Amino acid sequence: MKHVNSGFTLIESAVTLTIVSLLLFVGAQTSARPKIDTQQWLATFQTYWQNARLTAQHEQKTVEVIFDKKEVRFNNQVLVYPSGIKKDTQQRINVLTTGYVLVPTIFVLGALSALFILQNMAFNQQLRAQTHLVEIAKIDKIQMIVSTQVYKNNETKFNFDEAKVTVINKQIKIDLGKRIYQRELLVK
């Protein structure tokens, strides 16, 4: 009778661990808040907008606000969008001499602001997810290399780029910058 091994091979274990890690990571994600850069940009935008409104009232002339692809222009002032944010088309808004803007313009500005914030949140979330995936891949790679080296040479301490690795009782301790990870040896 032929012996059947019901355990996983090294590659199957690595693939299974990677898939489980990705599923846990995706499931644990929560919505992100906009960064301070976005809040600072919005505060600056509101200041420039108020200046345009006051200029229109004080000088009794229409002030044109232009939303370009990469910046917003208020007469002589230019406000560049934060990194990763851009507008597809140009839009011009006139601030009237009364200092007010027509109601549809306010709705457009509100919608643009909401889209801007949502786009920034999505961008930040995607950036964090990609960074985490790169870190998980790095840890998986180190785990496979260390497991192989322990099996071949019975070594217990390693250095990989910025990672310090020690093996204690078939447990791999990976010190990667500010984080420490615990993994099991893939070979017994």
Side-chain angles (χ1 to χ4, degrees):
M1 181 163 203
K2 188 175 183 181
H3 175 68
V4 177
N5 189 0
S6 62
F8 288 121
T9 65
L10 178 62
I11 293 172
E12 289 171 334
S13 297
V15 169
T16 303
L17 285 173
T18 302
I19 290 171
V20 169
S21 298
L22 287 174
L23 289 174
L24 288 174
F25 172 73
V26 170
Q29 290 300 311
T30 58
S31 64
R33 292 184 174 174
K35 287 189 173 182
I36 295 172
D37 295 337
T38 304
Q39 292 173 349
Q40 288 174 344
W41 185 90
L42 286 173
T44 305
F45 174 81
Q46 289 174 348
T47 302
Y48 284 5
W49 183 262
Q50 183 70 7
N51 285 342
R53 192 176 70 78
L54 292 174
T55 300
Q57 284 178 330
H58 186 297
E59 297 177 8
Q60 289 297 306
K61 67 176 187 178
T62 301
V63 176
E64 186 175 50
V65 179
I66 302 170
F67 291 86
D68 258 338
K69 291 184 179 187
K70 295 183 180 180
E71 63 193 15
V72 181
R73 286 184 276 159
F74 299 83
N75 283 345
N76 298 331
Q77 297 173 319
V78 175
L79 181 61
V80 178
Y81 296 131
S83 62
I85 306 297
K86 65 179 182 177
K87 191 170 179 334
D88 292 333
T89 59
Q90 185 186 61
Q91 182 177 6
R92 296 173 183 266
I93 296 176
N94 291 323
V95 180
L96 304 176
T97 56
T98 59
Y100 295 102
V101 180
L102 297 174
V103 174
T105 303
I106 293 172
F107 287 127
V108 168
L109 282 176
L112 286 174
S113 296
L115 286 173
F116 174 76
I117 290 170
L118 290 173
Q119 184 180 12
N120 191 37
M121 288 171 55
F123 176 73
N124 288 333
Q125 187 72 14
Q126 182 182 11
L127 190 60
R128 273 197 300 280
Q130 288 175 349
T131 302
H132 188 68
L133 286 175
V134 167
E135 195 168 291
I136 287 174
K138 193 182 290 186
I139 295 298
D140 289 344
K141 178 182 173 185
I142 290 171
Q143 181 184 17
M144 286 189 270
I145 292 171
V146 167
S147 294
T148 306
Q149 288 299 319
V150 167
Y151 180 73
K152 288 181 181 177
N153 304 328
N154 207 18
E155 294 180 47
T156 59
K157 291 189 179 188
F158 305 91
N159 285 325
F160 294 100
D161 296 327
E162 67 269 1
K164 294 179 183 175
V165 181
T166 55
V167 178
I168 301 170
N169 297 332
K170 298 190 179 193
Q171 287 287 322
I172 302 171
K173 178 184 170 190
I174 303 169
D175 186 359
L176 188 65
K178 296 179 182 178
R179 295 185 182 198
I180 296 175
Y181 297 90
Q182 293 278 341
R183 296 283 179 98
E184 288 187 24
L185 283 174
L186 297 176
V187 291
K188 303 282 178 173

